[in-house]
Amino acid sequence: MKLTLEGIKTQRQAYIDAGYSLPTFNYEQVKKATYERPTWIHFGAGNIFRAFQANVAQNLLNTGVLDTGIIAVEGYDYEIIEKSIRPHDNLTILATLKADNTIDKTVIASVTESLILDSSNEKEYSRLKKIFATPSLQMASFTITEKGYATADAHGNLFPAIVQDIEAGPVAPNSYLGKVVSLLFHRYVNGGSPIAMVSMDNCSHNGDKLKAAVITFAEGWLENGFVDAGFVSYIKGSGKVSFPWSMIDKITPRPDASVEAILRADGIEELDPVITSKNTYIAPFVNAEECEYLVIEDDFPNGKPALEKGGIYYTTRETVDKVEKMKVCTCLNPLHTTLAVYGCLLGYELISEEMKHPTLKKLVQTIGYTEGLPVVVNPGILDPKEFIDQVVNVRIPNPFMPDTPQRIAVDTSQKLAIRFGETIKAYEKRDDLDIHDLRMIPLVFAGWLRYLMAIDDAGNLFTPSSDPLLEEASAFVADYKLDGSLKDLSKLDGLLSNEKIFGVDLVANGMAPLVKKYFTELSCGVGAVADTLEKYVK
């Protein structure tokens, strides 16, 4: 069976017999409507978009709630579109991996057009400009990762590519966000219709990050005489361009070989994954967990698609903030990071396998229920305890989710502040709580220091996951050995006092001695990680 429009049409019964759910809406009608009056364009044609937002849209198309599809745009790695998405007529197979050992298989057809964000490609860019000039466009959404919104380094210096685009103007920018703002400028000069610019990336206050990046370009172009003051006002104060906050939650690992084998056994052809020249791993299918949450601030100046009928929440900014903090600071992300750090040290290759280890399971339970939950503000639309219950008992232990500690350990230095530091700050503000009652969060910090040594608990070297501060942070532990000789740990103070990494100054608040104590025990020889966890967790 071929994963093409012709394939699902002529081989429809074969797909159904193999257990696939197929689109039931009139594809050609929806495609024509989307082309003529686009309502939703999405930047970042990666796995989570195809597994989540595109699936929600398909369900709503099937039931007649929506009558236009999604236009998917890729601006980082053009080969995703060229080598994987277009050869399959923009179709994707979603394999939903359920905890009861069943798989739901769905052919997603809600993406009716795919485009490349390349200002040097006249055909592609002209089409994008036409879409942005169309008054019907309600939303431009983004899953481009948190890094995608960065315009400056840690010292506030604009990246060279950003400077170059600001100095050259909006005609043909080269940077990802420069091109996005150029399209927004095109909308402004062609009537200035309203639009919501909706970041759906898994980062705190994501709408503000996108807005700040857009303003950087707009104000830079104004200063250099490329745009008028009205464009800056259009973005900043007209009420016509909004940047809602959102919280997204769905575990979507990279396409797994075991899932590919199942689809091949069903008779699906041409499923070979593509590894692009930018080292992106992309396939015609995505695998994901069943659980999913998307909570969006209800700020849509040009109207919005009825995504609430597909399980997505529209709510206030305050509620989005509470949900985001509940998830990122307590109920999921800290547990994931804990398992990522210790999973790498203990040689695990699957997060789900770690949850079979009683000590590791108790560790994340303690961090979630005992240390984190007391400072969580209930957002109202989701119950924090029920959320953790689902995470600990269903989601993370799901044996059919091929998620790895190594994937989750990427950029750990960028995650510790929000995932653990916010809990510490909340304790510091409360008269009825004492930060020195936090015993497991310091154990995670110590585990990360031990992880930076790049030697696992069996004494074998391993390669830490990519992290922008990996080299800088690793230098603080470079002189320590796994021989029990750790004595002078004062050099760690330079790292432990870094508020950008930990969210708080661990030296100033008195938590550093406990972190050092744990680190010493974790580093006293082969097997010390397992022994230390056993000693303190139980």
Side-chain angles (χ1 to χ4, degrees), residues 240-286:
K240 287 188 173 183
V241 181
S242 67
F243 297 87
W245 292 3
S246 72
M247 189 287 294
I248 191 167
D249 182 19
K250 187 176 182 73
I251 301 172
T252 311
R254 85 177 204 172
D256 190 73
S258 64
V259 176
E260 180 185 345
I262 292 171
L263 304 185
R264 286 189 186 279
D266 289 337
I268 307 295
E269 303 173 36
E270 299 175 351
L271 286 174
D272 291 341
V274 172
I275 300 177
T276 71
S277 58
K278 290 191 173 182
N279 207 34
T280 303
Y281 189 97
I282 193 78
F285 68 93
V286 291

Side-chain angles (χ1 to χ4, degrees), residues 52-74:
F52 193 171
Q53 292 93 331
N55 187 41
V56 169
Q58 166 134 317
N59 292 335
L60 296 177
L61 286 166
N62 285 340
T63 56
V65 173
L66 298 183
D67 60 2
T68 57
I70 309 175
I71 299 164
V73 184
E74 179 54 41

Side-chain angles (χ1 to χ4, degrees), residues 21 31 38 61 63-64 82 97 103 115 119 123 181 198 265 284 298 318 341 373 432 438 449 476 487 490 501 503 522:
S21 296
K31 180 179 179 181
L61 286 166
T63 56
E82 297 166 333
L97 310 177
I103 298 178
L115 294 166
S119 60
K123 180 181 178 182
V181 183
V198 188
D298 193 355
E318 181 183 17
V341 168
L373 202 54
D432 60 329
L438 297 172
L449 299 181
F476 286 94
K487 291 194 171 38
S490 60
I501 292 179
L522 290 166

Side-chain angles (χ1 to χ4, degrees), residues 176-414:
Y176 198 131
L177 287 172
K179 287 177 276 192
V180 169
V181 183
S182 171
L183 294 173
L184 196 55
F185 178 63
H186 188 74
R187 185 173 183 83
Y188 164 73
V189 298
N190 284 274
S193 297
I195 188 172
M197 306 289 283
V198 188
S199 170
M200 296 181 178
D201 274 296
N202 182 22
C203 55
S204 181
H205 302 172
N206 44 22
D208 287 352
K209 289 178 169 59
L210 175 57
K211 183 177 182 178
V214 170
I215 290 173
T216 295
F217 282 95
E219 291 184 337
W221 287 338
L222 173 63
E223 184 177 343
N224 289 321
F226 294 113
V227 303
D228 59 38
F231 178 52
V232 177
S233 298
Y234 172 66
I235 293 168
K236 293 178 69 174
S238 67
K240 287 188 173 183
V241 181
S242 67
F243 297 87
W245 292 3
S246 72
M247 189 287 294
I248 191 167
D249 182 19
K250 187 176 182 73
I251 301 172
T252 311
R254 85 177 204 172
D256 190 73
S258 64
V259 176
E260 180 185 345
I262 292 171
L263 304 185
R264 286 189 186 279
D266 289 337
I268 307 295
E269 303 173 36
E270 299 175 351
L271 286 174
D272 291 341
V274 172
I275 300 177
T276 71
S277 58
K278 290 191 173 182
N279 207 34
T280 303
Y281 189 97
I282 193 78
F285 68 93
V286 291
N287 37 240
E289 66 170 338
E290 183 177 18
C291 181
E292 59 189 23
Y293 299 96
L294 179 54
V295 183
I296 308 174
E297 178 187 357
D298 193 355
D299 186 7
F300 288 78
N302 201 29
K304 61 182 183 290
L307 302 183
E308 75 278 4
K309 295 182 180 179
I312 289 173
Y313 297 86
Y314 288 122
T315 185
T316 64
R317 171 170 286 205
E318 181 183 17
T319 300
V320 174
D321 192 40
K322 290 177 181 177
V323 173
E324 189 260 336
K325 286 180 178 176
M326 179 196 78
K327 176 231 174 187
V328 175
C329 303
T330 304
C331 298
L332 174 61
N333 294 34
L335 314 188
H336 253 158
T337 291
T338 300
L339 293 171
V341 168
Y342 280 107
C344 291
L345 288 172
L346 294 172
Y348 282 95
E349 295 182 355
L350 287 175
I351 288 289
S352 59
E353 285 296 312
E354 291 187 71
M355 291 300 283
K356 295 178 182 179
H357 193 301
T359 303
L360 291 175
K361 183 175 182 179
K362 180 65 181 298
L363 174 60
V364 296
Q365 286 175 324
T366 304
I367 289 172
Y369 291 109
T370 305
E371 298 191 346
L373 202 54
V375 295
V376 172
V377 177
N378 191 326
I381 60 174
L382 298 171
D383 180 80
K385 183 179 181 303
E386 291 178 4
F387 193 97
I388 298 182
D389 288 343
Q390 187 179 50
V391 167
V392 171
N393 299 319
V394 179
R395 298 178 65 186
I396 298 179
N398 184 344
F400 310 105
M401 280 296 296
D403 212 359
T404 68
Q406 292 74 24
R407 182 187 80 87
I408 296 172
V410 169
D411 298 341
T412 298
S413 71
Q414 310 298 293

Side-chain angles (χ1 to χ4, degrees), residues 402-474:
D403 212 359
T404 68
Q406 292 74 24
R407 182 187 80 87
I408 296 172
V410 169
D411 298 341
T412 298
S413 71
Q414 310 298 293
K415 300 172 179 176
L416 295 173
I418 184 70
R419 299 188 179 191
F420 300 98
E422 291 303 309
T423 294
I424 298 171
K425 290 178 185 177
Y427 268 69
E428 290 176 335
K429 292 177 182 177
R430 292 266 294 266
D431 293 333
D432 60 329
L433 296 172
D434 185 346
I435 62 168
H436 298 294
D437 289 333
L438 297 172
R439 313 299 289 182
M440 296 300 100
I441 289 177
L443 187 58
V444 178
F445 293 160
W448 183 60
L449 299 181
R450 174 66 179 78
Y451 165 92
L452 292 173
M453 298 174 76
I455 305 171
D456 67 20
D457 201 32
N460 301 312
L461 295 173
F462 70 89
T463 301
S465 302
S466 62
D467 188 315
L469 295 182
L470 181 62
E471 183 177 355
E472 178 182 335
S474 297

